[in-house]
């Protein structure tokens, strides 16, 4: 979690959706062990010329083998629930999610190579959106009501859409901030 200043954002409320902040924390704290099979034995799509991690598609976790990491791995376009992630992780059918380097518009099915969650998928899961596979930053913004910074409460979302769309959840207000301009947020981010 990190602190975040209200600024240059569209703020969406969760008025149309249920909010599960416990789920948000579970996503943030989910432990998983990085091991060799999780890193190398993936990308098994039929006729996939890029099976396995290559120099063009490096694994973000290759230097963390034998480490326990926390938080569901970020994957561009990912919308995984815990069970979906766990099935891929345990079965070795997909590698742990990674940055957008693993997605290429010119390569069919490239989003299917890894498992994890992205920013809008994270907010959509916590808002318990049933149509999760169509959930994007645009979807969240279009199906929410704009609110003012003074109305922001735990479970509201910040959706930056001016450039590089990104969605994050408000975990709570910073009670030590005399200006009442800072909140604590939880988000799925590509940073490792």
């Amino acid at each position: 979690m990190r602190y975040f200043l209200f600024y240059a954002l569209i703020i969406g409320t969760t008025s149309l959706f249920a909010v599960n902040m416990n789920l948000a924390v579970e996503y943030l704290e989910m432990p998983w062990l990085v091991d060799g099979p999780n890193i190398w034995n993936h990308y098994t799509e039929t006729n996939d010329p890029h099976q396995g991690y290559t120099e063009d598609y490096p694994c973000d976790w290759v230097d963390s083998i034998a480490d326990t990491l926390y938080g569901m791995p970020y994957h561009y376009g990912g919308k995984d629930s815990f069970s979906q992630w766990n099935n891929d992780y345990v079965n070795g059918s997909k590698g742990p999610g990674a940055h957008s380097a693993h997605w290429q518009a010119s390569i069919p099915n490239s989003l299917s190579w890894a498992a994890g969650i992205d920013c809008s998928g994270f907010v959509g899961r916590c808002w318990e959106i049933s149509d999760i596979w169509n959930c994007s930053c645009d979807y969240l913004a279009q199906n929410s009501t704009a609110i003012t910074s003074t109305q922001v409460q735990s479970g509201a979302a910040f959706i930056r859409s001016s450039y590089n769309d990104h969605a994050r959840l408000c975990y709570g207000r910073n009670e030590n901030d005399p200006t009442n301009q800072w909140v604590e947020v939880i988000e799925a981010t590509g940073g490792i």
Side-chain angles (χ1 to χ4, degrees), residues 156-174:
F158 298 89
I159 302 160
R160 182 181 66 198
S161 60
S162 56
Y163 104 109
N164 291 339
D165 287 352
H166 186 61
R168 59 188 81 188
L169 279 180
C170 172
Y171 183 71
R173 289 184 119 23
N174 180 352

Side-chain angles (χ1 to χ4, degrees), residues 58-159:
C59 176
D60 291 332
W61 321 108
V62 70
D63 296 326
S64 302
I65 292 178
D67 291 344
T68 297
L69 301 181
Y70 296 88
M72 183 175 287
Y74 179 91
H75 175 50
Y76 179 81
K79 314 290 182 195
D80 284 338
S81 66
F82 289 115
S83 61
Q84 289 164 337
W85 153 257
N86 193 60
N87 287 341
D88 287 324
Y89 172 80
V90 171
N91 296 333
S93 55
K94 295 182 181 179
H99 299 148
S100 57
H102 290 265
W103 173 77
Q104 296 292 323
S106 60
I107 301 175
N109 301 317
S110 60
L111 284 178
S112 67
W113 293 349
I117 200 158
D118 69 1
C119 64
S120 58
F122 170 72
V123 171
R125 287 286 176 192
C126 296
W127 279 10
E128 300 179 356
I129 293 174
S130 58
D131 190 17
I132 192 68
W133 298 106
N134 289 320
C135 183
S136 63
C137 289
D138 285 342
Y139 175 92
L140 293 171
Q142 291 167 5
N143 290 278
S144 301
T145 304
I147 58 176
T148 67
S149 60
T150 57
Q151 295 172 307
V152 172
Q153 296 179 13
S154 177
F158 298 89
I159 302 160

